[in-house]
Amino acid sequence: MSASPLTPLDYIAAGYWQDFLAGRPVAGGMAYEAELHHCTLDESLASLQRIDTLLSQIRRDMIKSGTWDEATLLADERYRNFMVFLAFYAGRVLAQQWQYTPHWFGEFELRKRYPALPLLTDDFYQHMAVVYHNDVEDTDKPNATDSLFFALEPIGLRLFGHIDRPFQAVQGGQVASGLYQAVSARLPNAIDSHHALPIATERATKEVTETIVPRHSRQSIQTNTDAVNHTSYNELQTTPEVVQADTLLAKTASSTASLTAPLEAPSAQTASVKSSQTESDTIAIKPIIKPAVKPLIKEAPTPELFSQLLIELDEIEVPQIAGKTEYEQACKILDQFEQHIAKQEKPRAQVTFSQQHLAAKQQALLKLQDAAHAGNSAAMLRLAMYELLGEGVNTDKVAGMEAGVEWVKQAASKDDSRAQRLLSKLYYQGFGVPQDMTNGKYWLEQAAKNGHAEAASLMSQWQQAQTLISTQKQEQHSLKRYQLLFAVIIVIAILIFIIV
């Protein structure tokens, strides 16, 4: 099958890139062009991390200045050009990884070639996509979308995503929280040999808000998830990432005969779970199972905000003086519920349990509450999670939300870095508390000071972005001074010429 002819967007993408390299302004102008040059766009994956950091800083600055308005900015041609350029660049980097020439389709071509795609005519983020490898063009399946990348979606999410502004991917699943994450999920080694599923993948242990900030890597090189966010929660995140801690040994199971009822399902909907149990219909006592990374098709049952907390409670050890026995006994039962919920492909609120199991869970929550009252910060955090999810000891949701926030604050005041990181997310996202960027940054700093690896990485990324912006402002200030000095010299020279 011959290659498809070039589209208008192919010419525009090439023009944008050539103009950028030559230092020429694009038609209509482009916001943050100087800052992009400081990001060193060398077509590497690392350059996408730098772009994510810049986007997070831009979001933060707009919020502080009161100009953070998506509709207003999308009406500004300079901002639209800025986002379109970044999309072109991300497509260029991705296609290069596949050793392929990127091929861009606008809305007209997309509707003609992919009639099954649920495109929204008024959605700016869906009006163009790039084909980054030849899986579509060299086959007879024109409706296959494995090689399509809607690059504007992660840009929009990073700049404007939050709890009340979720982004739904055209191809299904969740939108990645940054360009680095979105591109990394589509690299050749991240795709199965048949390309049977959408390419977007999410690291199972992470991804809001934040704000800040889906996570795809736990290596020493971190992803940029800083700033504020959202549904995928980018705050002074991003996006970036957590240095992997050694997995801790599982807690030794203790005898709690009164809390060991099996989690069998009371209806046909959960019959398959029951059948997978042991012959005695009991669930083995073991730590929460973290599922392996797999293509992200549906939203996880538990919000990322809390799934990450459960991981940190398991992986980050904070010494406890009191309530340790009660906490372990409660977790022994609650972990069984979390294992069961994690297997479901629906929100946790829709997962049903028998009255017997709910009674066992309530008893475990009371033990957790006893440990929290005794001063155990881990118990405070786990109890806070259930209260914030509306599953705690409080039957009133408002009271539960308030109690959950208070438990997080108490744990944070005890210098528990996990609590301080969670509290920073709550403030960034406005979850349970009024959104407050200053408090969000303060608690992020405290978490970093107390050894939270992810928080420390985010603060480092934020400081780098601050340095980048500060350097740019200094250069602009120096340029103005030189221009003024040059003007003065010209005036003096003219006066001397006239006098002489």
Side-chain angles (χ1 to χ4, degrees), residues 258-261 333 337 355-365:
S258 63
L259 299 179
T260 55
I333 301 304
F337 282 87
Q355 289 301 315
Q356 179 186 10
H357 297 141
L358 292 177
K361 181 179 181 181
Q362 185 68 13
Q363 190 175 352
L365 288 174

Side-chain angles (χ1 to χ4, degrees), residues 90-380:
R92 185 181 187 89
V93 173
L94 178 56
Q96 180 174 275
Q97 296 294 320
W98 285 88
Q99 298 182 346
Y100 188 72
T101 300
H103 190 52
W104 284 92
F105 291 151
E107 183 179 335
F108 174 78
E109 291 86 3
L110 288 171
R111 290 188 179 280
K112 181 178 179 181
R113 191 177 186 93
Y114 308 98
L117 278 177
L119 296 175
L120 301 177
T121 57
D122 58 346
D123 194 325
F124 169 77
Y125 308 102
Q126 298 179 4
H127 83 270
M128 66 181 200
V130 63
V131 172
Y132 55 88
H133 66 80
N134 63 5
D135 193 47
V136 171
E137 292 187 345
D138 292 346
T139 68
D140 295 325
K141 299 183 293 184
N143 276 323
T145 61
D146 291 354
S147 61
L148 270 185
F149 176 34
F150 286 81
L152 284 170
E153 291 179 336
I155 298 170
L157 177 63
R158 196 160 187 88
L159 284 174
F160 304 112
H162 55 87
I163 292 177
D164 296 324
R165 175 60 172 100
F167 279 69
Q168 294 298 324
V170 179
Q171 296 160 291
Q174 294 176 332
V175 177
S177 64
L179 286 174
Y180 180 86
Q181 183 183 47
V183 169
S184 295
R186 293 168 170 79
L187 297 181
N189 59 2
I191 314 302
D192 65 21
S193 61
H194 301 290
H195 310 299
L197 297 173
I199 308 302
T201 61
E202 190 80 47
R203 200 187 75 181
T205 56
K206 195 75 181 162
E207 244 158 351
V208 162
T209 189
E210 247 346 256
T211 177
I212 286 131
V213 342
R215 305 178 187 269
H216 43 277
S217 170
R218 303 185 93 190
Q219 306 301 324
S220 56
I221 298 179
Q222 309 299 327
T223 317
N224 303 320
T225 40
D226 50 319
V228 214
N229 212 0
H230 57 23
T231 306
S232 298
Y233 310 130
N234 298 341
E235 328 100 53
L236 275 174
Q237 165 201 148
T238 296
T239 264
E241 309 317 273
V242 187
V243 177
Q244 185 174 21
D246 293 334
T247 304
L248 302 179
L249 295 177
K251 296 191 293 287
T252 302
S254 59
S255 176
T256 54
S258 63
L259 299 179
T260 55
L263 293 181
E264 59 185 20
S267 66
Q269 289 179 327
T270 52
S272 60
V273 177
K274 180 178 179 180
S275 64
S276 67
Q277 307 305 321
T278 63
E279 292 182 358
S280 62
D281 285 334
T282 58
I283 295 180
I285 306 301
K286 54 179 132 180
I288 296 173
I289 298 173
K290 303 172 185 65
V293 177
K294 60 181 180 181
L296 183 62
I297 305 301
K298 296 184 179 180
E299 182 180 357
T302 300
E304 181 191 16
L305 183 70
F306 301 117
S307 61
Q308 180 62 21
L309 172 63
L310 290 174
I311 293 170
E312 292 187 357
L313 287 172
D314 185 38
E315 294 185 350
I316 301 177
E317 185 174 12
V318 176
Q320 304 294 334
I321 299 176
K324 187 174 181 180
T325 299
E326 292 85 352
Y327 175 71
E328 291 181 348
Q329 289 176 348
C331 287
K332 177 181 177 180
I333 301 304
L334 295 172
D335 283 355
Q336 297 180 49
F337 282 87
E338 294 305 323
Q339 290 177 49
H340 176 68
I341 292 172
K343 297 175 183 177
Q344 310 304 305
E345 294 186 347
K346 55 187 174 183
R348 60 187 292 133
Q350 298 177 14
V351 180
T352 57
F353 297 98
S354 69
Q355 289 301 315
Q356 179 186 10
H357 297 141
L358 292 177
K361 181 179 181 181
Q362 185 68 13
Q363 190 175 352
L365 288 174
L366 292 175
K367 281 187 174 291
L368 201 62
Q369 188 178 55
D370 290 341
H373 282 303
N376 188 298
S377 63
M380 294 177 186

